[in-house]
Amino acid sequence: MASNGSERDRRPVVGLTTYVEPTRFGVWAVDAAVLHRSYLDCVVRAGGVPVLLPPVTDGHAELVSTVDALVLVGGADIDPARYGRPPHPATVTRPERDAFEFALLDAALAAGLPVLGVCRGMEVLNVALGGTLVQHLPEVAGHAAHQPAVATFGTTEITLAEGSRAAAILGRRTTSHCYHHQAVERLGNGLVPVGWAADGTVEAVELPAERFVLGVQWHPEQVGDDLRLFAALVEAARDPRHRQHRTTRAGRQP
């Protein structure tokens, strides 16, 4: 059995969801499970080991048992049927990815895994816990500043709630890179809003009943010199209570 020091020195394994999209590389034009490299670089620089989780399996518990933390990454919209709404014309969905990520999140929460939801990932967290979404934010906010143009990130000033985990990591105010046309409407069960844009859009949520379950509507992976959220996730993954749980789930003796 490793000593406490050597166990703590081991770099946590961070699982990141991916998405299957038509992709072209070299001479091939094929469907591939892909992810922006910026996520991987942030995890590595924060002290973790990134592992890509493709949405092509039902082995959710097995995947959870092999990682120390989970990042639900950004991407396409959630099928609004999951929260009882017809699709808006601007809604673009990936049902296969939804099925994978909702089941993966269920397994992660059951295992007590630290979870960071990024943009779509925050929306997955909200809907999985019974919440709903605004499907096209410009119609509610009256502007498109959260997604100013195709492939163009907006800049949003976020105010964070005093005493929240997010504020402990980032301070009471932070500047974010955002790219979202949807947002939280009704909060999921147990979730607490802890961050807001100036127009009142909820930009961060937490699950206080868990050790580390945090969702942000912005894209922290786009600010390579600010690793605070990824570093906090990696630090939470070092918690010895989680190490014990992980080794037990994987069938090894702690």
Side-chain angles (χ1 to χ4, degrees), residues 60-172:
H60 312 104
E62 290 85 353
L63 288 176
V64 163
S65 73
T66 64
V67 301
D68 300 304
L70 174 66
V71 180
L72 298 169
V73 307
D77 303 322
I78 297 165
D79 185 348
R82 287 186 173 268
Y83 49 94
R85 301 287 172 80
H88 186 281
T91 298
V92 177
T93 64
R94 298 291 186 272
E96 181 183 44
R97 183 178 175 188
D98 289 351
F100 173 74
E101 290 186 3
F102 276 75
L104 187 69
L105 176 61
D106 283 347
L109 294 177
L113 211 65
V115 176
L116 175 63
V118 173
C119 198
R120 168 193 158 91
M122 173 174 139
E123 295 166 4
V124 169
L125 181 62
N126 188 59
V127 173
L129 294 174
T132 62
L133 301 175
V134 174
Q135 287 191 61
H136 197 53
L137 189 54
E139 295 178 348
V140 176
H143 61 82
H146 297 282
Q147 191 183 73
V150 174
T152 301
F153 287 91
T155 300
T156 302
E157 299 296 323
I158 309 296
T159 301
L160 297 167
E162 185 174 1
S164 65
R165 179 183 294 276
I169 298 168
L170 300 171
R172 290 295 311 281

